[in-house]
Amino acid sequence: MKLFFAPGACSFVPHAMLDIAGAPFESSMVKLHKGEQHDAAYRGINPRGQVPVLQLSDGTVITQIVAIASFLDAQFRDAQFLPSEPLARAKALETLAWLNNTVHPTFTHVFMPQKFAADAPACDAIRAHNAVRYLELLQEVDAMVAAKRSTWLFGESIGPADLYVLVVTRWGGFAQIDPTQFKASWAHMQALAAHPAVAKTIERERLQLNLLAA
Ligand SMILES: N[C@@H](CCC(=O)N[C@@H](CS)C(=O)NCC(=O)O)C(=O)O
């Protein structure tokens, strides 16, 4: 298997899952800031020009975190990435989908407003409006983590939603939102970083968890 990822991007979620599973995989870095996602070679792999992409040994490509996470869960049952009981599984996927379809795109409006408007004043307005909304969403994430009733969000093993909490809370730094203000999420990030496999992913992506720290 081969994972196409960008350091600090949402691709961290499947990247860490592969490390946790101890899966044999190759990683290929896509430099988003250099526009490598638009190169013809990469578009040949993912015409939508985004990471993550999981490419299987027969060349099949899987995109979209929810789909990749669900595939990895099925491939590596011992890791128990998602609960197997149907209702618990639905609740874990509900949160994963919300992080992916609501929290994440709100940040995209802050980080890449040019995707949503052509002129600079409109981009500034989009960025400012969504930075406020992003803060509210990170507060909601923090409350969700504070209310967890198990070691991790959906049980005793790390799941994709736990890893996504690290990603979106870290991104707060790009919007001048101090991640340490979210006590539960920040503690969750520290606990993830202390896990040897996740530490390996953090190291490979060279991530600083608090972007506002000197
Ligand atoms: N819903 C998609 C979101 C993927 C996404 O937004 N990826 C970002 C990085 S976090 C990306 O590749 N952005 C580059 C671009 O849009 O140019 C998924 O789950 O994979």
Side-chain angles (χ1 to χ4, degrees), residues 172-190:
F174 289 113
Q176 299 308 308
I177 299 171
D178 181 353
T180 65
Q181 72 186 278
F182 310 109
K183 299 290 176 232
S185 295
W186 183 246
H188 208 63
M189 289 166 77
Q190 301 303 313

Side-chain angles (χ1 to χ4, degrees), residues 1-3 45-46 52-56 59-69 71-72:
M1 280 188 291
K2 185 169 180 177
L3 180 79
I45 296 163
N46 182 7
V53 164
L54 184 69
Q55 191 170 39
L56 308 185
T60 307
V61 156
I62 310 176
T63 65
Q64 298 296 325
I65 289 174
V66 177
I68 297 172
F71 177 79
L72 293 177

